[in-house]
Amino acid sequence: MTSADDWEERARQALDPVYYDYFAGGAGDESALRANRRAFARRRLLPRVLRGAEPRDLAVDLPGAPGTCPILVSPTAFHKLAHPEGELATARAAAAAGCVLTSGMAATVSIADVAAAARGVDPEAAVWFQLYLQPEPAVTDCLARRAADAGCTALVVTVDSPVFGRHGRDRRHGFHELPDGLACENMRDLPGGSAGGPRDIAMSPLLSWDDLDRLRDNTELPIVVKGILHPGDARLAAEHGAAAVMVSNHGGRQLDAAPATLDVLPAVADALDRRIPALLDGGVRHGADVAIALATGAAAVGVGRPVLWGLAADGEKGVRDVLERLRDDLDHTLALCGGRELADLTADLVTTGGPS
Ligand SMILES: Cc1cc2nc3c(=O)[nH]c(=O)nc-3n(C[C@H](O)[C@H](O)[C@H](O)COP(=O)(O)O)c2cc1C
């Protein structure tokens, strides 16, 4: 097993085609999904030489996760569709690999059990909790409190989903309910919360920055705002007290005409002007992709589907392999670029051809 593509192929063989398509698919014509990968494919790394590329250090400080690896697990829903151990396997693997796990509100295991599984492997493991601001503020507060009680060290608030993206593959399969025995465990006992299926998670097009302020005032946890593409929104997130933003188009699952995340990263990083870190996800599959994203202004990257492919193909072991290979590949790429630490990945190393 060598690359993310190999893992995807194994997962495709292991999964019911309905669930493979749920994980793999995007919104509309899937043009944003493709754009994420194409943006990486357009870039090359321009290496430096004779700079002494050892010893190397891949550590980065993120909200609630000091000295962590720059590769995070992005939140994805319903891991038990991929493997019977679901998010428990993902949590153990992320902890073993030393990567921050972002567990989703739409998980098939409660955040308390997910966090306990991660800490069973590494008592210091950092787990973040992703949520959507709920139409009923008391429900949002309850989710945030449960995450804090479970020992999560940051909240990731996803803001790119005032309405759901239209996923053609799910429509074609008629997939809108979880199979019997699976539920959205963080939501099932909350007022207005549904055990749910893929289209059942409550959100509201009426939410605004005021709702983010409310949550910020009601939690001690740092907030990462996920789903930022416009530099103006990055600036607003910083002004509203976010600890970081995640540049994300939801893996091409929301606005189909959205740009590739890598293409908007420089403008977002400029707008933030180092006040808070920019993270990025979407299309990260190789160590070189991570290096390109970091050199373009990201403090860290998230991976969504690769984790699901590892999970579907080989459970905890598969997820751990995906994450460890990605980190090892980043380390190798850093050495080949003549770098020793992440700060050595500077913007001048990224090119679309020769030196600019
Ligand atoms: C099957 C699936 C489910 C997802 N569910 C969520 C979710 O519940 N909340 C969220 O913020 N993002 C969700 N995402 C988006 C991911 O967090 C992430 O932004 C995206 O997968 C990154 O792109 P990549 O898959 O190319 O790495 C989901 C993505 C996929 C593929």
Side-chain angles (χ1 to χ4, degrees):
M1 198 54 58
T2 52
S3 75
D5 292 341
D6 295 330
W7 278 113
E8 175 167 1
E9 181 48 30
R10 262 186 74 185
R12 199 180 58 76
Q13 287 168 17
L15 283 166
D16 180 324
V18 176
Y19 304 150
Y20 170 76
D21 272 345
Y22 169 66
F23 292 141
D29 288 339
E30 305 193 334
S31 65
L33 176 64
R34 286 189 298 278
N36 283 342
R37 278 300 308 142
R38 284 184 182 160
F40 282 107
R42 275 200 310 276
R43 266 79 168 183
R44 313 299 301 165
L45 282 164
L46 193 61
R48 301 299 304 267
V49 296
L50 297 176
R51 294 177 134 193
E54 259 191 40
R56 288 185 300 283
D57 177 6
L58 298 185
V60 62
D61 289 330
L62 298 179
T68 191
C69 163
I71 300 160
L72 329 171
V73 176
S74 281
T76 52
F78 310 141
H79 286 199
K80 282 195 179 174
L81 293 179
H83 188 275
E85 289 176 22
E87 288 81 0
L88 295 177
T90 312
R92 289 193 291 261
C99 296
V100 174
L101 166 72
T102 313
S103 195
M105 188 179 105
T108 42
V109 175
S110 74
I111 187 59
D113 290 347
V114 169
R119 277 199 299 273
V121 172
D122 174 3
E124 304 292 312
V127 178
W128 294 353
F129 180 67
Q130 175 269 330
L131 69 151
Y132 295 99
L133 293 168
Q134 294 297 294
E136 196 50 63
V139 176
T140 308
D141 291 346
C142 179
L143 286 164
R145 211 172 319 110
R146 284 184 185 175
D149 291 348
C152 293
T153 55
L155 295 177
V156 175
V157 179
T158 301
V159 295
D160 59 13
S161 310
V163 293
F164 276 105
R166 295 186 168 146
H167 299 174
R169 299 197 207 196
D170 294 346
R171 288 184 171 197
R172 275 195 297 281
H173 289 301
F175 177 47
H176 41 75
E177 292 277 320
L178 287 177
D180 284 350
L182 296 195
C184 189
E185 291 294 339
N186 293 309
M187 299 299 289
R188 63 192 302 172
D189 60 341
L190 292 178
S194 149
R199 311 196 60 77
D200 245 359
I201 297 164
M203 293 180 226
S204 165
L206 296 171
L207 295 167
S208 73
W209 290 102
D210 294 342
D211 298 281
L212 190 78
D213 291 343
R214 246 202 93 265
L215 175 61
R216 190 206 53 216
D217 292 342
N218 282 320
T219 182
E220 302 278 300
L221 294 178
I223 293 178
V224 178
V225 177
K226 175 174 183 280
I228 294 292
L229 293 170
H230 196 294
D233 284 338
R235 220 172 283 119
L236 280 169
E239 284 165 18
H240 285 265
V245 300
M246 179 162 261
V247 177
S248 175
N249 60 21
H250 217 110
R253 294 166 77 86
Q254 284 295 112
L255 176 66
D256 191 27
T261 51
L262 186 64
D263 286 338
V264 297
L265 176 62
V268 167
D270 268 4
L272 292 175
D273 197 21
R274 296 178 185 275
R275 280 177 291 172
I276 55 172
L279 319 177
L280 170 141
D281 73 14
V284 174
R285 299 293 179 268
H286 308 283
D289 300 336
V290 183
I292 288 168
L294 300 191
T296 307
V301 300
V303 282
R305 293 180 184 83
V307 168
L308 294 167
W309 304 146
L311 183 64
D314 205 8
E316 176 182 343
K317 205 155 140 274
V319 176
R320 185 171 172 176
D321 191 87
V322 164
L323 294 172
E324 288 182 343
R325 270 174 206 273
L326 202 48
R327 192 183 45 202
D328 179 63
D329 200 18
L330 169 64
D331 180 64
H332 188 68
T333 304
L334 181 63
L336 288 172
C337 286
R340 280 189 296 183
E341 51 186 50
L342 300 179
D344 295 332
L345 293 167
T346 44
D348 56 301
L349 302 195
V350 181
T351 173
T352 48
S356 48

